[in-house]
Amino acid sequence: MENLVSTWSKTTKILPENYIFPIDERPGSAEVSLCQNIPLIDLSGSQSQTVQEILHACQEFGFFQVINHGVSEDLIDDTMKVVKEFFDMADEEKAKLYSIDPMKRCKLYTSGYNYANEKIHFWRDNLRHPCHPLDEWVCLWPEKPTNYRDIVGRYSLEVRELSLRMLELIREGLGLELGYFGEELTGGQFLSINHYPQCPSPDLTLGLPKHADPNLITVLLQENVYGLQVFKNEQWLGVKPLPHAFVVNIGHQLQIISNGKLRSAEHRAVTNSREARTTVVSFIHPYQETLVEPAKSLIDTKVPLFRPFKFKDFLKFYEEKKGDTEAMMEVYKIKP
């Protein structure tokens, strides 16, 4: 529990050495421009136009922002409020969920998946728990704040519905058969709630390092504090937070299913010295035993780009490679 950044960072003025990244991985002091052409998609528009906009964004960027998405603004505000209240609670309350066990399903921890084996730690604390089916997992969630389970439960249901809606639009854009993204591919969902405290030297460390998500599709809610950067064309682009908008990004599984037609988005989280930043991230992923492979209708030359695998094996290798996108894709690519 004493390892939580939010527990000890309030009184430190010097960044500990085990939080300082190698020079070539640091964000540095140079300004990263907020990108002006990141796709912003209005989901209230015509379906045919929305399908084409999402498909283009998934091919060109691997991510986009959505507005008029159907999740109520009041629920979004309440969710952000209650998760911030969780991180503001007394240490003895948070200690009830703190764990260093990488296998524990609902837990509060710090940095990455395995703190004890890390050479460099990330400047973040994280609350993570499964949320589908809700009635199976909600009993493991935080009991305090007292309205956490109610608010976050309703939020997880609405964001899941939004995620499945966007997968249906992507399915249509790719020309896949109806029902392609069924329960086997989308039955898993968990929430990852990140808290990045104020940092004395944001140029030397990272909240999260460069990575792409191992799942199918990710929906991120960020408060009005800048910190998300996306890697495109060998440069970092800043993503400006928009009130009540969601950031959506493609994960490795969707890149593989699309046989490389869509791209998973590499991104990172930077910190700042002025204020803390909190994000709520929903991940949709296949069941552990699900066989993932390129959709047969998308194999242009009768030769798939990627070999089949079980999702659980992909996850294990992802953790071993610490999210290294190039290393991951090379292993699963079929060599000509």
Side-chain angles (χ1 to χ4, degrees):
M1 182 69 188
E2 67 275 4
N3 291 330
L4 287 176
V5 181
S6 53
T7 297
W8 55 263
S9 64
K10 295 174 184 175
T11 58
T12 189
K13 295 183 179 180
I14 299 176
L15 193 70
E17 286 191 14
N18 56 355
Y19 283 85
I20 299 176
F21 274 70
I23 292 175
D24 60 342
E25 297 178 34
R26 298 175 192 170
S29 56
E31 285 282 330
V32 170
S33 300
L34 292 176
C35 185
Q36 300 301 315
N37 62 342
I38 288 173
L40 177 63
I41 298 175
D42 185 341
L43 293 183
S44 67
S46 72
Q47 179 156 321
S48 59
Q49 179 179 345
T50 302
V51 165
Q52 292 308 310
E53 289 178 352
I54 288 179
L55 197 64
H56 175 74
C58 292
Q59 293 169 330
E60 181 68 17
F61 286 85
F63 73 101
F64 51 93
Q65 296 202 68
V66 293
I67 56 174
N68 293 322
H69 40 63
V71 181
S72 78
E73 293 185 359
D74 287 345
L75 182 57
I76 287 173
D77 292 339
D78 289 345
T79 299
M80 184 57 70
K81 180 181 178 183
V82 78
V83 298
K84 292 173 75 172
E85 285 176 2
F86 172 85
F87 284 104
D88 286 338
M89 288 195 307
D91 287 348
E92 54 265 28
E93 287 295 335
K94 290 186 287 188
K96 297 174 182 177
L97 281 169
Y98 180 79
S99 176
I100 59 173
D101 179 1
M103 302 305 293
K104 188 172 182 181
R105 303 304 301 273
C106 178
K107 66 175 182 174
L108 171 67
Y109 64 103
T110 194
S111 191
Y113 296 114
N114 199 329
Y115 184 92
N117 293 333
E118 295 172 357
K119 293 181 180 179
I120 307 294
H121 302 312
F122 315 145
W123 193 266
R124 75 143 186 181
D125 296 332
N126 182 267
L127 172 64
R128 173 177 296 224
H129 53 67
C131 48
H132 180 74
L134 183 61
D135 57 0
E136 180 177 330
W137 297 110
V138 70
C139 61
L140 301 179
W141 294 8
E143 294 182 3
K144 293 184 178 179
T146 55
N147 55 351
Y148 181 95
R149 292 181 176 181
D150 173 55
I151 291 172
V152 177
R154 287 188 286 118
Y155 175 83
S156 70
L157 289 172
E158 291 206 17
V159 170
R160 176 174 178 80
E161 185 177 334
L162 172 63
S163 302
L164 297 181
R165 177 184 170 195
M166 288 187 293
L167 283 172
E168 177 61 17
L169 295 170
I170 290 170
R171 179 207 64 77
E172 183 177 336
L174 290 173
L176 297 173
E177 64 268 23
L178 281 169
Y180 186 90
F181 292 111
E183 184 74 6
E184 285 293 313
L185 286 173
T186 64
Q189 180 190 11
F190 69 90
L191 289 187
S192 177
I193 301 161
N194 299 301
H195 182 68
Y196 308 99
Q198 292 171 260
C199 180
S201 302
D203 57 321
L204 300 179
T205 192
L206 288 165
L208 281 174
K210 179 182 176 183
H211 69 286
D213 295 336
N215 56 299
L216 196 66
I217 192 169
T218 302
V219 176
L220 165 75
L221 170 63
Q222 54 180 343
E223 59 181 329
N224 193 30
V225 179
Y226 167 68
L228 174 63
Q229 296 179 348
V230 177
F231 196 65
K232 184 177 186 294
N233 296 333
E234 301 302 313
Q235 63 176 332
W236 287 105
L237 307 173
V239 180
K240 181 180 180 180
L242 299 176
H244 302 116
F246 289 110
V247 178
V248 180
N249 67 269
I250 300 306
H252 285 316
Q253 305 309 302
L254 199 45
Q255 177 173 339
I256 289 166
I257 287 169
S258 71
N259 205 37
K261 289 179 169 58
L262 309 183
R263 52 174 292 181
S264 55
E266 291 186 303
H267 52 285
R268 69 183 183 183
V270 297
T271 63
N272 72 79
S273 59
R274 301 174 304 281
E275 54 189 330
R277 176 174 176 261
T278 303
T279 64
V280 183
V281 194
S282 170
F283 298 94
I284 300 292
H285 61 83
Y287 288 137
Q288 294 288 307
E289 297 291 337
T290 296
L291 187 72
V292 180
E293 60 185 333
K296 292 179 172 54
S297 61
L298 298 180
I299 300 173
D300 298 325
T301 59
K302 306 300 180 185
V303 179
L305 297 181
F306 303 97
R307 63 180 176 85
F309 55 85
K310 285 188 176 181
F311 181 63
K312 67 176 183 179
D313 297 329
F314 186 96
L315 270 186
K316 182 180 178 182
F317 192 64
Y318 179 89
E319 291 171 12
E320 289 175 2
K321 291 297 181 181
K322 296 181 170 50
D324 185 326
T325 297
E326 186 174 343
M328 291 296 304
M329 291 296 104
E330 276 304 309
V331 167
Y332 288 98
K333 279 181 180 176
I334 294 177
K335 305 297 187 295

